[in-house]
Amino acid sequence: MTSGDYFRHCNDVEIPHAPFHYKRSGLDNIYLINGFEEECDEDGERYVSVLEVDDLHKAIGVHLVMYRKTLAPKEIRFLRKTLNLTQSEMGRLIDQSAQQIARWEKGESNISGPADRLLRLMFVGSLMRGQEEPVAPMEFLTKLDEVDSSEGERLEFKKVGKEWLETA
């Protein structure tokens, strides 16, 4: 699957270069080293097409749930959308109202500790579907106490074969 971000008219000289600031995720700090192509449509509009968007979003989500001490509002929304859940569906799963989910995503209130951990577990669990070794919830929750990545830190991802990886 690909996703396009319109860039410039095809006659313009400016061409996107790495790292490409990937704004379509809804997060402000995502940059791609590769895995994107510049294309022109039949109307002469130039846009950037990102390869394997679903896999990229999973890689971004893994960073958020494994390395962020506190999830920012945009990150909560990103995880929910990557899980393909509405605010109402997510609320039902974690015993919150759709309005409460909206407040977290708008930054009007902070996500509670238990809800934060449930969201992280839901995301990690969604990645483990069909795998032989399921994630051990107790180990995952223990690891969360050690994370220290902060909001706004620039994150770069590169495509290696068919997989998106975070650059070190």
Side-chain angles (χ1 to χ4, degrees):
M1 177 183 240
T2 61
S3 173
D5 282 323
Y6 278 91
F7 191 70
R8 301 235 187 269
H9 194 272
C10 286
N11 295 330
D12 292 346
V13 230
E14 191 174 342
I15 297 173
H17 57 279
F20 172 65
H21 189 186
Y22 179 58
K23 299 175 186 175
R24 198 165 179 100
S25 67
L27 303 172
D28 300 325
N29 57 333
I30 305 299
Y31 293 83
L32 307 181
I33 302 304
N34 62 6
F36 61 91
E37 300 170 344
E38 178 189 2
E39 299 180 15
C40 287
D41 66 16
E42 56 275 352
D43 295 328
E45 290 290 327
R46 179 185 294 156
Y47 64 97
V48 174
S49 180
V50 176
L51 307 173
E52 309 295 337
V53 171
D54 292 340
D55 292 337
L56 171 60
H57 285 199
K58 287 176 187 174
I60 294 168
V62 166
H63 175 86
L64 296 178
V65 301
M66 298 298 291
Y67 300 107
R68 282 286 195 260
K69 187 73 170 173
T70 305
L71 292 172
K74 288 182 179 183
E75 295 168 342
I76 295 167
R77 183 172 195 261
F78 175 84
L79 292 172
R80 176 184 58 79
K81 291 184 87 171
T82 301
L83 286 168
N84 200 26
L85 295 171
T86 65
Q87 290 175 336
S88 181
E89 291 167 334
M90 182 173 144
R92 275 194 303 276
L93 288 170
I94 63 173
D95 197 28
Q96 297 289 319
S97 68
Q99 292 81 13
Q100 184 59 51
I101 306 298
R103 285 192 287 273
W104 293 339
E105 292 180 357
K106 293 177 191 171
E108 294 174 358
S109 68
N110 293 326
I111 188 170
S112 67
D116 174 284
R117 290 186 177 226
L118 275 173
L119 175 56
R120 291 172 192 253
L121 271 174
M122 286 169 40
F123 188 84
V124 170
S126 76
L127 298 177
M128 299 296 142
R129 287 188 196 131
Q131 293 193 5
E132 290 182 26
E133 267 188 59
V135 67
M138 296 298 284
E139 290 175 31
F140 175 74
L141 292 172
T142 302
K143 186 179 183 331
L144 288 180
D145 288 331
E146 301 166 6
V147 299
D148 64 359
S149 180
S150 60
E151 177 187 356
E153 172 187 1
R154 180 176 166 143
L155 302 177
E156 293 184 352
F157 293 84
K158 65 180 177 181
K159 191 157 175 33
V160 179
K162 291 188 172 200
E163 193 173 5
W164 278 98
L165 301 173
E166 182 180 0
T167 60

